């Protein structure tokens, strides 16, 4: 289908300031989107409150509003600019939440602004834990046993019925803010209280813990004609239990056989088609390392941090293509800008391995709790490309700029055996170096695997 | 592991790649060097009979990560000449793992070559096309090896060597399918048994009369290795079956249908091998990601005089990927709807075949 000619002016909502849990990746996506829309000849109006990004550079859009990203200011912008359409799915959670709020307040209807890309109803279906679960039941896709609670008492009741440990996930938050894993009632009370506060709708999901499963992500794209592809899959080295933003991630997956890969690929495509996403989407899955059992953990119905990684890892410009899908183009008619000759309806085949390591700010925040869990603590990430896993991992380590070129940190060498074992188990930002230290001290592969539940393949290398 | 000894691959253009040996020892083994872009599925690939007499280079660098399991074979005895990888994982990890790549290759007497710059090798093939190659453990007498390589010509009896010798039955209570084995992947058989069909697998040189005597509801022509023009038995078979029974062809089966209808086939520069080939259906506009393994293709210009219609083409280079006969119930695809390995987007073609047999839908 050719691009739409009934719209001229498009408002793009950026992601605002860079905060923990919402990193610069969204600027990358938003910038690509603005360029893509301009390339197709549309007038682009950009709203972003962050002056420190290339996205608010004069050349990126036709009109730039560096105003706070609140419904009030956005309403003013809409009133002044009278855009035909709004593209909210490329500015992270902030952009999405704004579009939903504007819709709720009737602003979009009042000024006849159409929402491009994925429909808000689909976004709500993916983000609202309850309707998402119903959809998964409908598709016959397994999700971990869970319940939505609005009070601490409800949370306690449910946790007692399914048994600890359980995971708390507050609804509509970024980077898992306010969530966590709890082993005891005490922890549950504390985390649920925080979680209910953090959630704009005062909802938390209490979920059976599937910690120890392999965490696999698929980056999927779909256009308005129901063509859908997988751009890339990724495997978290740290098993389920640690937020993907805080996990070392490799692309493509390393320990999945073709059957496992295709099974999860089919699941991801079924979900994106059922949600009728138009653009990019990230599907997170948990796979039992000892069987074909899997669970769908979560779906991000927008361009996300993982898409930025997948995009850089494969060279496939997800945000750019997503923006063009939003204005009506389809995957099989867009030329792949990387090859210049083939089409965007394509699943990249890599001949290298990509490793991402998160960069934590604990060298600046000495007092912070370094323990990693379901709430993201990293503020950045580095990526290394190599022809072997070792090469890409070590390249990433060097890029971390933490004064080491190897899997060696001086302070790790001096810790006691007992501390080493405890820290291997609990996972913190120096885990990678602790593992290397454990091997130097003669730990076997099985020992390390037992403590960390990291797949043997990664331990070996 | 005593695999660290040297091993070499010499191409007909004179390039020599030095790497490390794994799997079985090798004296002097000749074959065609082709590449595959799949990131998973090496076990299915190395056991796919369509790779008979070929050295397969995997573009993905880490091969063997999840080991070899007892389930994912496409044939019992692989006929691949050898496997060429950047890194053959020594300690694989997966709950289904039974053997490492190295152990399995020793068992099956297949040589492997690792630690070479596979990216350079693949670029060479992409530029110059697939080439003859020879794998050796020593290059002391390089000039002799090179002259032997020069003299080497591709065999043309691959189908005969990989096809079953005798017919066999996989009983089921559903439709009766005769599956002609030109080098059949087990994946195709599995698609029919999963649909409860009663399948009779017959050798490649079974005549159409013998097949029709079995009173099949439908005939499936399998994939297979080599040049379709070398398989005259298959071409004659299609001519004898056309219009008498519904026919579905995959890969080599597709090419045989084209030849039997008077079209021509040609050898491609470096073929399509991998799991990321988009194919567009010209009727429904759907695009499927398909698994492919073919070095030959049907020549578009040759279809003019035939009763065949192009139904599907490769999105990127326009290669013919699907054909349909205008009068008879016969259709075919160049790619692998059974996947194994690869994406399963086109799996519904088996349902389409069965529904046609049952007099259901005529067009996709």
């Amino acid at each position: 289908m050719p691009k739409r000619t009934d719209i001229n002016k498009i408002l793009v909502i950026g992601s605002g300031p860079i905060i923990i849990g919402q990193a610069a990746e969204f600027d990358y996506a938003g910038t690509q989107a603005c360029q893509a829309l301009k390339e197709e000849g549309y007038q682009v109006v950009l709203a972003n409150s962050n002056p420190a990004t290339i996205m608010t550079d004069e050349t990126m859009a036709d009109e730039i509003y560096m105003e706070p990203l609140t419904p009030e200011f956005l309403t003013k912008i809409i009133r002044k600019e009278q855009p035909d359409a709004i593209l909210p799915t490329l500015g992270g959670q902030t952009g999405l939440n704004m579009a939903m709020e504007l819709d709720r307040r009737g602003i979009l209807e009042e000024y006849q602004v159409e929402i491009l890309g994925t429909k808000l109803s689909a976004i709500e279906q993916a983000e609202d834990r309850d309707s998402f679960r119903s959809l998964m039941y409908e598709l016959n896709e397994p999700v971990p046993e869970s319940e939505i609670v609005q009070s601490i008492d409800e949370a306690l009741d449910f946790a007692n019925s399914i048994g600890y440990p359980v995971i708390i996930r507050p609804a509509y938050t970024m980077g898992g803010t306010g969530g966590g894993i709890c082993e005891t009632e005490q922890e549950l009370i504390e985390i649920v209280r925080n979680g209910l506060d953090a959630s704009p709708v005062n909802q938390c999901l209490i979920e059976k813990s599937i910690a120890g499963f392999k965490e696999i992500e698929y980056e999927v794209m779909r256009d308005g004609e129901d063509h859908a592809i997988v751009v890339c899959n990724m495997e978290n080295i740290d098993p389920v239990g640690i937020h993907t933003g805080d996990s070392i991630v490799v692309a493509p997956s390393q320990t999945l056989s073709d059957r496992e890969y295709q099974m999860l690929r089919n699941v991801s495509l079924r979900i994106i088609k059922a949600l009728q996403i138009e653009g990019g989407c990230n599907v997170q899955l948990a796979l039992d390392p000892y069987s074909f059992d899997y669970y769908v953990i979560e779906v991000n119905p927008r361009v996300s941090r993982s898409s930025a990684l997948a995009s850089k890892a494969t060279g496939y410009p997800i945000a750019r293509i997503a923006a063009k899908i939003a204005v009506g183009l389809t995957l099989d008619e867009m030329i792949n800008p990387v090859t210049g000759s083939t089409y965007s309806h394509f699943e990249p085949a890599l001949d290298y391995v990509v490793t991402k390591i998160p960069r934590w700010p604990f060298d600046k925040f000495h007092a912070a709790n370094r323990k990693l869990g379901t709430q993201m603590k990293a503020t950045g990430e580095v990526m290394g490309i190599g022809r072997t896993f070792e090469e890409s991992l070590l390249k990433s380590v060097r890029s971390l700029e933490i004064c080491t070129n190897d899997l060696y940190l001086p302070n790790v060498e001096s810790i006691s055996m007992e501390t080493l074992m405890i820290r291997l188990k609990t996972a913190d930002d120096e885990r990678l170096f602790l593992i290397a230290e454990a091997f130097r001290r003669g730990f076997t592969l099985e020992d390390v695997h037992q403590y960390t539940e990291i797949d043997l393949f990664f331990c070996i290398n | 592991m005593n695999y660290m000894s040297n091993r070499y691959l010499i191409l007909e253009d004179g390039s020599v790649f030095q790497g490390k040996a794994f799997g079985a020892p090798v004296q002097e083994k000749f074959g065609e060097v082709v590449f595959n872009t799949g990131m998973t599925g090496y076990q299915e690939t190395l056991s796919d009979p369509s790779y008979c007499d070929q050295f397969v280079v995997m573009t993905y660098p880490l091969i063997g990560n999840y080991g070899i399991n007892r389930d994912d074979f496409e044939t019992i005895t692989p006929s691949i000449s050898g496997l060429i990888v950047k890194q053959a994982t020594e300690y694989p990890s997966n709950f289904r793992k039974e053997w490492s790549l190295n152990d399995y290759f020793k068992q099956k007497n297949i040589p492997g070559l690792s630690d070479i710059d596979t990216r350079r090798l693949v670029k060479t093939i992409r530029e110059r096309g697939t080439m003859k190659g020879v794998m050796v453990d020593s290059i002391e007498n390089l000039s002799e090896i090179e002259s032997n390589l020069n003299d080497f010509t591709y065999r043309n009896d691959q189908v005969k060597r990989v096809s079953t010798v005798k017919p066999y039955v996989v009983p089921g209570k559903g439709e009766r399918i005769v599956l002609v084995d030109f080098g059949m992947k087990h994946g195709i058989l599995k698609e029919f048994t999963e649909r409860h069909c009663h399948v009779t697998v017959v050798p490649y040189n079974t005549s159409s009369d013998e097949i029709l005597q079995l009173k099949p509801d439908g005939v499936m022509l399998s994939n297979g290795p080599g040049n379709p023009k070398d398989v005259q038995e298959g071409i004659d078979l299609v001519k004898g079956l056309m219009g008498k029974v519904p026919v579905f062809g995959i890969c080599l089966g597709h090419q045989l249908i084209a030849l039997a209808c008077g079209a021509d086939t040609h050898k491609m520069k470096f073929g399509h091998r991998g799991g990321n080939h988009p194919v567009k259906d010209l009727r429904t506009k759907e695009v499927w990601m398909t698994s492919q393994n073919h070095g030959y293709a049907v020549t578009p210009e040759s279809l003019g005089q035939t009763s065949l219609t192009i139904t599907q083409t490769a999105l990127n280079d326009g290669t013919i990927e699907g054909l349909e006969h205008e009068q008879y119930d016969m259709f075919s695809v160049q790619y692998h709807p059974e996947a194994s390995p690869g994406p399963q987007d086109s799996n519904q073609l088996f349902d389409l075949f069965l529904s046609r047999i049952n007099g259901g839908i005529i067009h996709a």
Side-chain angles (χ1 to χ4, degrees):
Chain A
M1 212 160 68
K3 71 180 179 209
R4 293 181 49 175
T5 49
D6 55 335
I7 42 177
N8 296 311
K9 199 189 258 185
I10 301 171
L11 172 66
V12 176
I13 308 180
S15 58
I18 291 162
I19 52 170
I20 297 183
Q22 173 162 307
E25 291 87 13
F26 296 111
D27 286 336
Y28 173 81
T31 308
Q32 272 194 16
C34 289
Q35 286 174 328
L37 294 178
K38 283 186 74 168
E39 200 176 281
E40 293 296 336
Y42 295 101
Q43 236 185 314
V44 179
V45 180
L46 170 69
N48 194 353
S49 59
N50 184 5
T53 155
I54 182 81
M55 192 176 171
T56 46
D57 208 85
E58 289 179 346
T59 55
M60 286 300 158
D62 298 297
E63 292 294 335
I64 295 164
Y65 288 86
M66 237 176 285
E67 302 291 346
L69 292 176
T70 63
E72 290 75 23
F73 276 101
L74 288 174
T75 308
K76 281 187 194 165
I77 296 172
I78 291 174
R79 198 175 298 143
K80 176 155 181 274
E81 288 289 339
Q82 304 278 338
D84 302 306
I86 179 170
L87 182 59
T89 43
L90 292 153
Q93 193 70 39
T94 313
L96 267 189
N97 286 352
M98 283 307 128
M100 282 163 123
E101 188 55 37
L102 289 172
D103 184 52
R104 208 168 292 134
R105 294 186 182 191
I107 309 288
L108 299 183
E109 203 184 345
E110 188 185 334
Y111 292 97
Q112 296 188 334
V113 184
E114 187 188 340
I115 294 179
L116 294 181
T118 310
K119 303 282 163 286
L120 282 189
S121 55
I123 290 167
E124 268 168 35
Q125 198 173 16
E127 296 244 315
D128 185 86
R129 306 259 175 214
D130 217 6
S131 41
F132 180 68
R133 259 193 318 168
S134 331
L135 178 71
M136 289 305 109
Y137 287 138
E138 226 172 88
L139 296 176
N140 228 345
E141 294 297 349
V143 284
E145 271 178 67
S146 62
E147 190 161 286
I148 287 158
V149 300
Q150 298 192 324
S151 73
I152 295 174
D153 285 342
E154 283 177 66
L156 282 173
D157 281 351
F158 182 67
N160 287 333
S161 72
I162 59 166
Y164 292 88
V166 294
I167 300 176
I168 316 295
R169 298 178 192 273
Y172 295 97
T173 61
M174 278 294 298
T177 311
I181 296 188
C182 19
E183 310 260 353
T184 64
E185 250 178 50
Q186 230 102 49
E187 285 177 2
L188 182 84
I189 293 170
E190 189 191 329
I191 296 179
V192 171
R193 185 177 296 133
N194 287 339
L196 291 176
D197 279 350
S199 165
V201 290
N202 298 321
Q203 275 186 7
C204 274
L205 181 86
I206 313 289
E207 186 179 275
K208 193 176 172 63
S209 169
I210 41 168
F213 273 44
K214 292 179 185 183
E215 188 162 350
I216 313 286
E217 293 179 68
Y218 279 73
E219 283 300 320
V220 223
M221 302 218 62
R222 178 182 169 276
D223 64 25
E225 301 269 282
D226 210 26
H227 301 131
I229 55 155
V230 169
V231 174
C232 162
N233 87 335
M234 290 172 278
E235 179 170 6
N236 290 8
I237 293 188
D238 297 292
V240 175
I242 294 177
H243 193 276
T244 66
D246 273 345
S247 181
I248 299 177
V249 176
V250 291
S253 63
Q254 299 298 324
T255 68
L256 264 56
S257 69
D258 190 62
R259 277 203 201 182
E260 294 159 326
Y261 179 97
Q262 302 302 344
M263 174 178 80
L264 299 181
R265 177 181 179 275
N266 291 344
V267 173
S268 307
L269 292 179
R270 259 201 305 276
I271 292 175
I272 193 175
K273 289 189 170 192
L275 283 171
Q276 302 201 316
I277 304 275
E278 288 177 31
C281 162
N282 161 268
V283 182
Q284 290 176 23
L285 303 136
L287 177 69
D288 182 359
Y290 305 105
S291 75
F292 282 101
D293 290 345
Y294 69 90
Y295 289 110
V296 179
I297 308 177
E298 163 172 277
V299 171
N300 285 312
R302 55 179 164 84
V303 170
S304 65
R305 175 181 44 253
S306 304
S307 350
L309 176 65
S311 195
K312 282 179 272 186
T314 59
Y316 192 100
I318 296 179
R320 221 181 128 93
I321 302 287
K324 295 197 176 188
I325 288 176
V327 293
L329 291 164
T330 57
L331 287 167
D332 59 334
E333 65 185 6
M334 281 184 273
I335 293 288
N336 177 350
V338 178
T339 60
S341 60
T342 56
Y343 289 86
S344 300
H345 196 294
F346 174 68
E347 301 195 348
L350 309 185
D351 69 348
Y352 51 84
V353 186
V354 174
T355 305
K356 174 214 92 172
I357 306 184
R359 177 74 166 91
W360 291 277
F362 301 128
D363 47 350
K364 298 204 172 73
F365 300 109
H366 297 284
N369 180 356
R370 307 176 80 128
K371 192 178 149 186
L372 303 178
T374 60
Q375 178 177 345
M376 179 171 162
K377 294 187 175 173
T379 46
E381 59 190 32
V382 296
M383 185 183 100
I385 295 181
R387 291 276 284 164
T388 62
F389 171 60
E390 297 85 330
E391 182 188 336
S392 70
L393 181 76
L394 286 171
K395 276 186 180 169
S396 301
V397 168
R398 288 181 185 207
S399 311
L400 281 172
E401 294 184 350
I402 50 171
C403 305
T404 184
N405 286 338
D406 301 296
L407 295 179
Y408 170 77
L409 285 180
N411 62 319
V412 168
E413 200 177 30
S414 54
I415 61 174
S416 73
M417 208 61 169
E418 203 182 337
T419 321
L420 177 65
M421 287 201 281
I422 291 170
R423 285 183 62 189
L424 276 179
K425 231 179 202 164
T426 51
D428 57 37
D429 57 313
E430 291 175 346
R431 194 183 213 188
L432 180 63
F433 303 97
L434 294 167
I435 292 171
E437 178 62 21
F439 285 128
R440 280 194 286 271
R441 293 193 191 180
F443 279 49
T444 65
L445 288 170
E446 275 70 23
D447 291 340
V448 173
H449 171 64
Q450 208 186 341
Y451 286 123
T452 59
E453 294 186 313
I454 291 175
D455 195 279
L456 284 171
F457 172 80
F458 298 113
C459 293
I460 290 155
N461 298 292
Chain B
M1 247 160 127
N2 55 348
Y3 78 107
M4 291 321 270
S5 57
N6 287 338
R7 180 164 286 175
Y8 308 84
L9 175 76
I10 297 131
L11 298 181
E12 64 179 300
D13 71 348
S15 36
V16 178
F17 290 83
Q18 180 183 340
K20 301 291 175 197
F22 72 94
V26 64
Q27 284 284 318
E28 192 178 51
K29 197 163 183 180
F30 300 95
E32 183 182 14
V33 186
V34 301
F35 66 88
N36 180 299
T37 58
M39 295 189 286
T40 55
Y42 54 83
Q43 179 170 346
E44 292 89 332
T45 295
L46 66 90
S47 60
D48 176 350
S50 291
Y51 287 108
C52 179
D53 288 351
Q54 290 177 331
F55 289 110
V56 180
V57 189
M58 301 301 291
T59 58
Y60 186 66
L62 313 184
I63 299 297
N65 291 359
Y66 52 86
I68 299 284
N69 60 55
R70 61 181 192 176
D71 308 320
D72 295 347
F73 293 117
E74 289 303 315
T75 182
I76 297 170
T77 308
S79 51
I80 187 174
S81 298
L83 192 70
I84 300 166
V85 301
K86 164 82 178 132
Q87 190 179 63
T89 309
E90 267 179 80
Y91 301 99
S93 166
N94 187 281
F95 73 101
R96 289 194 297 153
K97 176 207 83 178
E98 298 282 347
W99 308 277
S100 72
L101 198 56
N102 184 40
D103 293 343
Y104 176 73
F105 269 27
K106 280 186 176 154
Q107 244 180 66
K108 293 289 179 187
N109 200 26
I110 305 168
L113 170 67
S114 70
D115 295 90
I116 69 155
D117 185 353
T118 48
R119 191 180 279 175
R120 180 165 77 95
L121 176 55
V122 169
K123 277 191 172 167
T124 310
I125 300 173
R126 284 186 65 102
E127 273 159 30
R128 314 209 33 187
T130 56
M131 270 182 271
K132 293 190 287 186
V134 57
M135 207 183 262
V136 288
D137 278 347
S138 154
I139 46 166
E140 268 170 38
N141 43 359
L142 185 61
S143 55
E144 196 188 316
I145 298 170
E146 282 177 337
S147 92
N148 288 347
L149 178 62
N150 241 335
D151 298 341
F152 164 74
T153 48
Y154 294 131
R155 297 174 64 155
N156 53 15
D157 61 346
Q158 285 98 342
V159 169
K160 184 179 172 190
R161 279 152 56 213
V162 296
S163 173
T164 179
V165 179
K166 282 184 177 169
Y168 58 92
V169 170
V170 185
K173 57 182 167 26
E175 295 82 356
R176 299 183 79 93
I177 304 294
V178 168
L179 207 173
V180 188
D181 178 4
F182 295 106
M184 176 198 71
K185 288 165 70 186
H186 287 176
I188 298 179
L189 182 55
K190 212 175 85 200
E191 294 298 337
F192 287 108
T193 53
E194 271 174 3
R195 289 168 174 79
H196 310 294
C197 295
H198 179 96
V199 187
T200 310
V201 183
V202 300
Y204 77 103
N205 54 358
T206 312
S207 72
S208 54
D209 286 344
E210 285 171 287
I211 288 178
L212 292 171
Q213 274 163 23
L214 293 168
K215 300 282 173 201
D217 296 318
V219 177
M220 171 86 235
L221 307 175
S222 85
N223 64 300
N227 185 343
K229 289 176 189 162
D230 292 336
V231 197
Q232 191 56 45
E233 297 89 338
I235 301 169
D236 296 339
L237 173 63
V238 178
K239 287 179 180 161
L241 293 175
M242 266 197 297
K244 297 185 179 124
V245 62
V247 178
F248 177 22
I250 289 177
C251 199
L252 185 72
H254 157 87
Q255 296 160 358
L256 294 174
I257 287 176
L259 289 173
C261 292
D264 197 11
T265 57
H266 63 275
K267 186 162 183 167
M268 302 162 80
K269 189 176 174 193
F270 50 82
H272 289 176
R273 295 177 184 88
N276 61 345
H277 292 274
V279 166
K280 184 161 187 164
D281 191 300
L282 303 176
R283 300 156 300 181
T284 64
K285 308 292 175 215
E286 272 180 277
V287 182
W288 289 333
M289 206 49 73
T290 66
S291 171
Q292 300 199 2
N293 170 20
H294 62 108
Y296 290 85
V298 176
T299 314
E301 299 76 38
S302 69
L303 286 172
Q305 307 300 316
T306 69
S307 308
L308 294 172
T309 307
I310 302 174
T311 54
Q312 298 179 327
T313 54
L315 186 61
N316 286 330
D317 63 9
T319 308
I320 296 176
E321 295 292 342
L323 289 171
E324 163 103 60
H325 198 279
E326 284 157 15
Q327 287 106 43
Y328 304 133
D329 202 347
M330 180 159 78
F331 74 109
S332 63
V333 288
Q334 178 64 75
Y335 54 88
H336 293 268
E338 79 282 9
S340 44
Q344 297 153 2
D345 298 9
S346 52
N347 191 273
Q348 52 195 288
L349 286 180
F350 292 100
D351 298 318
L352 173 71
F353 182 48
L354 294 184
S355 69
R356 284 185 172 204
I357 285 174
N358 295 321
I361 313 154
I362 301 301
H363 291 286

